[in-house]
Protein backbone atom coordinates (compact mmCIF):
# COMPACT_ATOMS: atom_id res chain seq x y z
CA UNK A 1 0.00 0.00 0.00
CA UNK A 2 1.58 3.26 -1.19
CA UNK A 3 -0.45 5.51 1.10
CA UNK A 4 -2.03 7.30 -1.88
CA UNK A 5 -5.78 6.82 -2.13
CA UNK A 6 -7.97 7.28 -5.16
CA UNK A 7 -11.73 7.19 -5.52
CA UNK A 8 -13.70 5.81 -7.15
CA UNK A 9 -12.00 2.58 -8.17
CA UNK A 10 -14.24 2.14 -11.20
CA UNK A 11 -16.37 4.62 -13.10
CA UNK A 12 -18.69 3.86 -16.00
CA UNK A 13 -20.34 6.74 -17.79
CA UNK A 14 -21.64 7.86 -21.16
CA UNK A 15 -20.17 10.05 -23.84
CA UNK A 16 -20.68 13.75 -23.25
CA UNK A 17 -20.80 13.39 -19.48
CA UNK A 18 -18.54 14.91 -16.83
CA UNK A 19 -16.79 13.04 -14.03
CA UNK A 20 -14.54 13.91 -11.11
CA UNK A 21 -11.72 11.70 -9.89
CA UNK A 22 -10.35 12.21 -6.43
CA UNK A 23 -6.88 11.67 -4.99
CA UNK A 24 -5.48 11.95 -1.47
CA UNK A 25 -1.68 12.05 -1.35
CA UNK A 26 0.50 10.39 1.25
CA UNK A 27 0.71 12.24 4.52
CA UNK A 28 3.33 14.98 4.20
CA UNK A 29 3.56 14.90 0.41
CA UNK A 30 3.03 18.29 -1.21
CA UNK A 31 3.13 17.31 -4.88
CA UNK A 32 0.39 15.51 -6.74
CA UNK A 33 0.70 14.18 -10.28
CA UNK A 34 -2.00 12.86 -12.58
CA UNK A 35 -1.33 10.25 -15.25
CA UNK A 36 -3.45 8.57 -17.89
CA UNK A 37 -2.62 4.99 -18.80
CA UNK A 38 -4.02 3.42 -21.94
CA UNK A 39 -2.91 0.38 -23.90
CA UNK A 40 -1.68 2.30 -26.92
CA UNK A 41 -0.16 5.36 -25.18
CA UNK A 42 1.43 3.92 -22.08
CA UNK A 43 1.73 6.15 -19.00
CA UNK A 44 1.04 9.74 -20.02
CA UNK A 45 1.71 12.63 -17.65
CA UNK A 46 -1.24 15.00 -17.45
CA UNK A 47 -0.56 17.62 -14.80
CA UNK A 48 1.29 18.31 -11.55
CA UNK A 49 0.30 20.41 -8.55
CA UNK A 50 2.57 21.50 -5.75
CA UNK A 51 1.09 22.82 -2.53
CA UNK A 52 -2.04 24.04 -4.25
CA UNK A 53 -0.45 25.54 -7.34
CA UNK A 54 -0.16 24.13 -10.83
CA UNK A 55 3.51 23.34 -11.52
CA UNK A 56 3.71 21.43 -14.78
CA UNK A 57 1.39 20.48 -17.60
CA UNK A 58 1.75 17.54 -19.90
CA UNK A 59 -0.58 16.08 -22.48
CA UNK A 60 -3.75 17.28 -20.81
CA UNK A 61 -6.74 18.02 -23.02
CA UNK A 62 -8.62 21.30 -22.65
CA UNK A 63 -11.68 19.25 -21.62
CA UNK A 64 -9.73 18.11 -18.57
CA UNK A 65 -8.89 20.22 -15.55
CA UNK A 66 -7.50 19.64 -12.11
CA UNK A 67 -6.99 21.38 -8.83
CA UNK A 68 -5.33 20.80 -5.48
CA UNK A 69 -7.15 21.91 -2.37
CA UNK A 70 -5.74 23.41 0.87
CA UNK A 71 -5.84 19.98 2.52
CA UNK A 72 -3.67 18.81 -0.42
CA UNK A 73 -6.15 16.39 -1.91
CA UNK A 74 -6.61 16.77 -5.64
CA UNK A 75 -9.41 16.32 -8.11
CA UNK A 76 -9.23 15.66 -11.84
CA UNK A 77 -12.28 16.79 -13.77
CA UNK A 78 -13.01 15.24 -17.14
CA UNK A 79 -15.79 16.77 -19.21
CA UNK A 80 -17.47 16.18 -22.58
CA UNK A 81 -16.23 12.63 -22.33
CA UNK A 82 -15.39 10.69 -25.47
CA UNK A 83 -14.92 6.97 -26.02
CA UNK A 84 -11.18 7.55 -26.30
CA UNK A 85 -11.02 8.87 -22.75
CA UNK A 86 -11.56 5.36 -21.43
CA UNK A 87 -8.36 4.56 -19.54
CA UNK A 88 -6.80 4.07 -16.14
CA UNK A 89 -6.14 7.33 -14.35
CA UNK A 90 -3.42 7.33 -11.73
CA UNK A 91 -2.54 9.85 -9.13
CA UNK A 92 0.93 9.93 -7.61
CA UNK A 93 2.44 12.01 -4.86
CA UNK A 94 5.92 12.97 -3.77
CA UNK A 95 7.58 14.94 -1.02
CA UNK A 96 9.28 17.35 -3.42
CA UNK A 97 11.85 18.36 -0.87
CA UNK A 98 15.22 19.73 -1.95
CA UNK A 99 17.02 16.56 -0.94
CA UNK A 100 14.49 14.27 -2.53
CA UNK A 101 14.84 12.80 -5.96
CA UNK A 102 11.18 12.83 -6.77
CA UNK A 103 10.25 9.31 -5.81
CA UNK A 104 6.64 9.18 -6.79
CA UNK A 105 4.16 6.96 -4.98
CA UNK A 106 1.24 5.85 -7.10
CA UNK A 107 -2.31 5.24 -6.04
CA UNK A 108 -4.31 2.19 -7.16
CA UNK A 109 -5.93 4.10 -10.01
CA UNK A 110 -9.43 4.81 -11.26
CA UNK A 111 -10.62 2.81 -14.24
CA UNK A 112 -12.84 5.01 -16.39
CA UNK A 113 -15.06 3.42 -19.00
CA UNK A 114 -16.93 5.70 -21.39
CA UNK A 115 -19.78 3.99 -23.24
CA UNK B 1 7.82 13.20 -28.83
CA UNK B 2 8.80 10.33 -26.58
CA UNK B 3 11.50 11.61 -24.24
CA UNK B 4 12.40 8.12 -23.03
CA UNK B 5 12.42 5.19 -25.43
CA UNK B 6 12.04 1.71 -23.95
CA UNK B 7 12.54 -1.72 -25.49
CA UNK B 8 11.47 -4.40 -25.89
CA UNK B 9 7.72 -4.00 -25.64
CA UNK B 10 7.38 -7.54 -24.31
CA UNK B 11 9.76 -10.18 -23.03
CA UNK B 12 9.34 -13.83 -22.19
CA UNK B 13 11.98 -15.74 -20.23
CA UNK B 14 12.18 -18.97 -18.31
CA UNK B 15 12.60 -19.07 -14.57
CA UNK B 16 16.23 -18.38 -13.67
CA UNK B 17 16.84 -16.37 -16.83
CA UNK B 18 18.14 -12.79 -16.88
CA UNK B 19 15.73 -10.48 -18.67
CA UNK B 20 17.22 -7.16 -19.77
CA UNK B 21 15.14 -4.07 -20.50
CA UNK B 22 16.73 -1.11 -22.21
CA UNK B 23 15.96 2.59 -22.21
CA UNK B 24 17.43 5.56 -24.05
CA UNK B 25 17.02 9.29 -23.60
CA UNK B 26 18.11 12.49 -25.33
CA UNK B 27 17.82 15.20 -22.68
CA UNK B 28 21.24 15.51 -21.02
CA UNK B 29 19.66 17.49 -18.19
CA UNK B 30 18.00 14.35 -16.82
CA UNK B 31 19.55 13.50 -13.47
CA UNK B 32 17.30 10.82 -12.04
CA UNK B 33 16.44 7.46 -13.61
CA UNK B 34 13.93 5.27 -11.78
CA UNK B 35 12.36 1.97 -12.72
CA UNK B 36 8.80 1.21 -11.78
CA UNK B 37 7.12 -2.19 -11.56
CA UNK B 38 3.40 -2.58 -12.16
CA UNK B 39 1.28 -5.65 -11.48
CA UNK B 40 -2.14 -6.03 -13.13
CA UNK B 41 -4.77 -3.96 -11.38
CA UNK B 42 -2.21 -2.02 -9.34
CA UNK B 43 -0.45 1.29 -9.63
CA UNK B 44 3.25 1.42 -10.58
CA UNK B 45 5.65 1.06 -7.65
CA UNK B 46 9.25 2.25 -7.47
CA UNK B 47 11.64 -0.66 -7.88
CA UNK B 48 15.08 0.91 -8.05
CA UNK B 49 16.57 4.23 -9.14
CA UNK B 50 19.96 5.56 -10.19
CA UNK B 51 21.63 8.95 -10.50
CA UNK B 52 24.10 9.71 -13.32
CA UNK B 53 27.14 9.84 -11.03
CA UNK B 54 27.23 6.03 -10.79
CA UNK B 55 27.37 3.42 -13.54
CA UNK B 56 25.64 0.58 -11.72
CA UNK B 57 23.31 0.03 -8.81
CA UNK B 58 22.14 -3.27 -7.34
CA UNK B 59 19.24 -3.96 -5.06
CA UNK B 60 18.68 -7.63 -4.45
CA UNK B 61 18.16 -9.34 -7.80
CA UNK B 62 17.63 -6.06 -9.65
CA UNK B 63 20.49 -4.13 -11.23
CA UNK B 64 20.51 -0.86 -13.17
CA UNK B 65 23.37 -0.26 -15.57
CA UNK B 66 23.86 3.33 -16.66
CA UNK B 67 25.89 4.60 -19.62
CA UNK B 68 25.99 8.38 -19.49
CA UNK B 69 27.92 8.89 -22.74
CA UNK B 70 25.49 6.70 -24.68
CA UNK B 71 22.49 8.14 -22.82
CA UNK B 72 21.22 4.67 -22.11
CA UNK B 73 20.29 2.69 -19.05
CA UNK B 74 19.02 -0.81 -18.53
CA UNK B 75 17.41 -3.06 -15.95
CA UNK B 76 18.67 -6.59 -15.37
CA UNK B 77 16.73 -9.08 -13.27
CA UNK B 78 18.96 -11.87 -11.99
CA UNK B 79 17.52 -15.36 -11.35
CA UNK B 80 14.09 -14.22 -12.55
CA UNK B 81 11.04 -15.76 -10.89
CA UNK B 82 7.41 -16.15 -11.99
CA UNK B 83 6.52 -13.54 -9.37
CA UNK B 84 8.57 -11.01 -11.37
CA UNK B 85 6.00 -11.20 -14.17
CA UNK B 86 4.80 -7.60 -14.44
CA UNK B 87 5.10 -4.50 -16.57
CA UNK B 88 8.27 -2.51 -16.06
CA UNK B 89 8.59 1.20 -16.81
CA UNK B 90 11.78 3.19 -17.01
CA UNK B 91 11.60 6.92 -16.41
CA UNK B 92 13.79 9.98 -16.32
CA UNK B 93 13.54 13.27 -14.51
CA UNK B 94 15.33 16.57 -14.18
CA UNK B 95 14.89 18.20 -10.82
CA UNK B 96 16.19 21.49 -12.01
CA UNK B 97 13.87 22.50 -14.80
CA UNK B 98 10.96 20.09 -14.63
CA UNK B 99 10.63 20.26 -10.87
CA UNK B 100 9.65 16.70 -10.22
CA UNK B 101 8.05 15.64 -13.47
CA UNK B 102 9.07 12.19 -14.69
CA UNK B 103 9.06 11.10 -18.31
CA UNK B 104 8.10 7.45 -18.65
CA UNK B 105 8.96 4.87 -21.28
CA UNK B 106 6.09 2.92 -22.81
CA UNK B 107 6.66 -0.14 -20.65
CA UNK B 108 7.86 -3.71 -21.07
CA UNK B 109 5.56 -6.59 -20.26
CA UNK B 110 7.71 -9.33 -18.73
CA UNK B 111 6.52 -12.93 -18.44
CA UNK B 112 8.62 -15.44 -16.53
CA UNK B 113 7.65 -19.06 -17.17
CA UNK B 114 8.09 -21.55 -14.33
Amino acid sequence: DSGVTQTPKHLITATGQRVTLRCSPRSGDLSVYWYQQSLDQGLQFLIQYYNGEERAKGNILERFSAQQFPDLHSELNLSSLELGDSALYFCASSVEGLAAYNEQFFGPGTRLTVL
Amino acid sequence: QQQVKQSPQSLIVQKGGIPIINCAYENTAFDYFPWYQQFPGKGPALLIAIRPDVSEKKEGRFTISFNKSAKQFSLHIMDSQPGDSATYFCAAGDRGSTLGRLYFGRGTQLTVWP
Side-chain angles (χ1 to χ4, degrees):
Chain A
D1 183 3
S2 67
V4 178
T5 60
Q6 287 187 251
T7 56
K9 194 173 176 65
H10 300 279
L11 200 47
I12 301 174
T13 188
T15 54
Q17 295 299 304
R18 173 189 168 93
V19 297
T20 297
L21 312 183
R22 183 187 169 104
C23 167
S24 292
R26 291 187 325 151
S27 176
D29 284 0
L30 298 178
S31 256
V32 168
Y33 310 78
W34 285 97
Y35 293 88
Q36 180 191 58
Q37 185 176 41
S38 57
L39 283 174
D40 58 342
Q41 292 293 320
L43 204 58
Q44 295 286 310
F45 169 73
L46 296 177
I47 198 164
Q48 177 198 0
Y49 277 82
Y50 174 73
N51 204 20
E53 293 190 4
E54 182 184 303
R55 173 163 280 188
K57 253 185 178 178
N59 303 320
I60 188 165
L61 299 171
E62 284 191 15
R63 301 183 285 110
F64 296 0
S65 65
Q67 58 185 132
Q68 186 178 27
F69 295 87
D71 67 352
L72 300 177
H73 91 270
S74 178
E75 292 181 356
L76 178 67
N77 300 296
L78 315 176
S79 61
S80 302
L81 285 168
E82 301 174 0
L83 295 177
D85 297 328
S86 295
L88 267 170
Y89 291 84
F90 287 105
C91 165
S93 72
S94 70
V95 171
E96 199 71 27
L98 288 178
Y101 260 84
N102 306 323
E103 177 176 353
Q104 293 184 20
F105 296 85
F106 282 76
T110 293
R111 181 173 291 281
L112 173 66
T113 303
V114 182
L115 301 175
Chain B
Q1 182 185 0
Q2 193 76 14
Q3 295 261 4
V4 178
K5 295 181 180 176
Q6 182 172 349
S7 63
Q9 192 172 352
S10 63
L11 193 50
I12 301 173
V13 299
Q14 282 205 308
K15 178 182 172 183
I18 306 175
I20 300 173
I21 305 170
N22 300 299
C23 287
Y25 65 97
E26 286 299 324
N27 188 345
T28 55
F30 287 149
D31 61 358
Y32 174 64
F33 303 90
W35 286 87
Y36 281 78
Q37 179 189 54
Q38 184 181 25
F39 293 104
K42 304 286 186 183
L46 181 67
L47 188 63
I48 184 173
I50 197 168
R51 301 171 194 179
D53 53 344
V54 297
S55 59
E56 187 175 275
K57 182 174 181 180
K58 289 183 183 181
E59 282 187 8
R61 296 184 292 107
F62 300 92
T63 299
I64 299 179
S65 297
F66 184 79
N67 186 329
K68 189 173 181 178
S69 60
K71 292 184 283 187
Q72 294 175 348
F73 57 110
S74 59
L75 176 71
H76 301 233
I77 305 176
M78 310 302 288
D79 186 27
S80 58
Q81 301 295 313
D84 297 329
S85 297
T87 300
Y88 293 82
F89 293 93
C90 62
D94 160 24
R95 265 192 336 144
S97 63
T98 61
L99 300 172
R101 174 183 176 173
L102 291 176
Y103 295 85
F104 283 85
R106 293 207 171 197
T108 296
Q109 190 166 347
L110 171 67
T111 303
V112 181
W113 290 103

